[in-house]
Amino acid sequence: FFFQYRRQSTMRLSTLLLLALAPQTNAFAPQPPAVPKVNAAVQSSTSLQMGPPRPDIVLQETYGEGSRKYRRTVYTHNEWVKHRSSDRFVRNLASIFNSGVYKSLAKEVLATVGVASFLVGWNALTGGYTDLDGVQHEAIIDFLPMLTLPLTPFTLLSPSLGLLLVFRTNSSYGRWDEARKFWGLNINHTRDLNRMATAWYGHDGIPIDPNTRAEHLRQVSLLTWAFVRSMKRHLSPPDEDEDDYVAEIKSRLTPDQANAMISAVHRPNRALFDLSVAIEQLPMHFVRKNSMNNNLSIFEDTLGGSERLLSSPVPLFYSRHTARFLLTWLIFLPLALYEPFANSWNHAVMIPATAFISVCLFGIEELATQLEEPFTILPMQGFCDKIGANCD
């Protein structure tokens, strides 16, 4: 009797366990064939354009605004090996004439070099010069003064200029880093959202239709991608991304969804609304739905933070004062460098020295300016493609 009672108790306990695990078992059952998509996905032409421009690219895209799309670099192990290789100094020095940063500084550097060249010629005429045979000649125009300045004012101002440039560069890098972290949060929480939808699908033992389940999860996945793709379009120049965005949205969403999203005043918000509706349609406990909706609140935060960075530069008076200070300092610097280069032939070595100093200091300011608006140098299309693949 004892063994018979024990067998009956064990059978009842097993039955209760099977009933309790039924929703989870259905949720993790092998998936049925996916519902066909509306159309084949369109590959964006703005996906990843890494590295320097190809030789056949027009000159306007090798520097300035045209070159920004080639700075959207995503590193893998191979790129990191090259990045820290022992020949990086030689490689970077060899490519100096192909640098888009230095090409952007051509006008400013030519201005300072022009001042230095004029100063060498002027002082040769008014103070005397040495010919190619080493013979010293008197001044041709002896009634005009030579143009020089003491080096002390530039020495005193150098720390102040350095602080301005350091703060400018750090502020711009901080903006780039913040934008990258926003997209990192998008990547992490899109994965989290779709993990929750897949694992928690089902509620209170209600029978689950495999086709309905597949369609519900497909909608969550597609609308998750649609949000980040709309956010990328929202933060990109219209002439670069509008056509690709429309084509991709129409190829993946239903016509009604695509038209509503494309015609919306604020497309990312429309995508979040559609995603909220898709989550609400999932058969699961409301507490779990609330946990999923927390991810949407984070998406709103990353979107709002990105809009803040795009619409609010470093205070313009700071940027303008730094640019004026730097340009004035470098324009007048040749006047102070004239005497220190007295041992060179007619002080001519001052000209390449001025060019070198100008490239270095203008380059720091140019780096800060290029980093200040981070979205057109971040590989946002690559992030969107990655999110779409992870959520599929």
Side-chain angles (χ1 to χ4, degrees):
F1 173 79
F2 171 75
F3 289 109
Q4 183 179 3
Y5 175 77
R6 184 176 181 181
R7 283 196 302 271
Q8 292 174 354
S9 300
T10 303
M11 292 176 63
R12 285 196 296 269
L13 180 61
S14 301
T15 303
L16 290 174
L17 287 174
L18 287 174
L19 290 175
L21 293 174
Q24 288 82 353
T25 304
N26 290 336
F28 286 97
Q31 300 301 307
V35 179
K37 296 183 179 181
V38 179
N39 291 307
V42 174
Q43 180 64 33
S44 172
S45 63
T46 60
S47 55
L48 284 179
Q49 304 184 63
M50 295 167 49
R54 301 186 306 273
D56 58 337
I57 295 298
V58 295
L59 179 63
Q60 287 77 6
E61 292 198 358
T62 62
Y63 65 95
E65 287 299 314
S67 68
R68 289 181 68 82
K69 58 176 168 289
Y70 300 103
R71 305 186 189 280
R72 299 165 186 170
T73 308
V74 176
Y75 264 32
T76 62
H77 291 291
N78 293 333
E79 282 77 24
W80 279 115
V81 170
K82 182 179 179 181
H83 181 76
R84 57 178 174 257
S85 64
S86 58
D87 64 343
R88 61 186 181 275
F89 294 104
V90 176
R91 184 178 66 250
N92 291 331
L93 187 61
S95 62
I96 189 170
F97 294 106
N98 295 325
S99 171
V101 172
Y102 298 149
K103 289 179 181 179
S104 299
L105 303 175
K107 295 179 181 179
E108 292 83 357
V109 174
L110 285 176
T112 58
V113 170
V115 171
S117 302
F118 170 79
L119 189 63
V120 169
W122 176 270
N123 287 343
L125 293 175
T126 58
Y129 64 95
T130 304
D131 63 20
L132 296 177
D133 295 326
V135 178
Q136 182 69 32
H137 295 270
E138 296 294 331
I140 298 176
I141 307 176
D142 56 2
F143 57 90
L144 293 177
M146 295 176 61
L147 299 178
T148 60
L149 284 175
L151 192 58
T152 303
F154 296 89
T155 304
L156 293 175
L157 288 174
S158 294
S160 300
L161 179 59
L163 287 174
L164 283 174
L165 290 175
V166 167
F167 179 79
R168 177 99 168 85
T169 306
N170 285 348
S171 299
S172 297
Y173 176 77
R175 293 166 59 86
W176 179 91
D177 185 59
E178 189 176 7
R180 180 60 184 89
K181 288 176 179 176
F182 285 149
W183 277 95
L185 286 173
N186 283 344
I187 293 173
N188 295 343
H189 286 279
T190 51
R191 293 170 179 168
D192 198 36
L193 176 67
N194 283 268
R195 173 189 61 81
M196 291 176 177
T198 304
W200 291 347
Y201 193 93
H203 179 53
D204 292 338
I206 299 174
I208 299 173
D209 177 58
N211 292 327
T212 303
R213 179 183 188 276
E215 178 59 22
H216 281 167
L217 295 181
R218 189 179 75 90
Q219 281 295 310
V220 173
S221 172
L222 281 178
L223 292 171
T224 302
W225 166 85
F227 163 70
V228 293
R229 186 62 183 88
S230 298
M231 180 174 170
K232 189 262 181 185
R233 168 63 198 90
H234 189 65
L235 300 172
S236 300
D239 57 346
E240 176 187 312
D241 196 37
E242 178 66 20
D243 294 339
D244 287 326
Y245 170 78
V246 172
E248 289 181 50
I249 291 295
K250 286 184 175 180
S251 71
R252 300 192 184 192
L253 303 184
T254 63
D256 291 340
Q257 287 177 323
N259 292 332
M261 197 169 297
I262 292 170
S263 60
V265 176
H266 197 286
R267 291 164 172 174
N269 269 348
R270 174 67 199 199
L272 283 178
F273 167 77
D274 290 343
L275 182 55
S276 298
V277 173
I279 292 174
E280 188 61 31
Q281 292 176 350
L282 299 179
M284 64 175 61
H285 197 276
F286 74 92
V287 174
R288 291 180 169 178
K289 288 183 181 180
N290 288 341
S291 297
M292 295 180 65
N293 279 305
N294 287 337
N295 290 301
L296 272 62
S297 297
I298 293 174
F299 295 156
E300 286 281 12
D301 290 340
T302 61
L303 175 61
S306 298
E307 290 175 330
R308 168 177 53 82
L309 291 177
L310 184 63
S311 61
S312 304
V314 173
L316 295 180
F317 54 82
Y318 185 93
S319 302
R320 290 168 180 167
H321 177 70
T322 303
R324 291 164 182 159
F325 188 173
L326 177 60
L327 182 60
T328 305
W329 194 88
L330 287 171
I331 286 290
F332 286 97
L333 181 63
L335 296 169
L337 292 180
Y338 187 80
E339 289 301 331
F341 284 97
N343 292 330
S344 64
W345 181 76
N346 289 324
H347 306 252
V349 179
M350 179 187 69
I351 298 175
T354 300
F356 177 74
I357 296 172
S358 299
V359 168
C360 292
L361 294 182
F362 279 134
I364 295 174
E365 201 277 338
E366 177 70 12
L367 292 177
T369 302
Q370 292 294 328
L371 284 170
E372 188 176 1
E373 189 276 283
F375 299 106
T376 49
I377 57 174
L378 279 175
M380 294 190 295
Q381 185 65 44
F383 298 152
C384 294
D385 295 342
K386 184 176 183 178
I387 289 170
N390 290 340
C391 297
D392 194 3

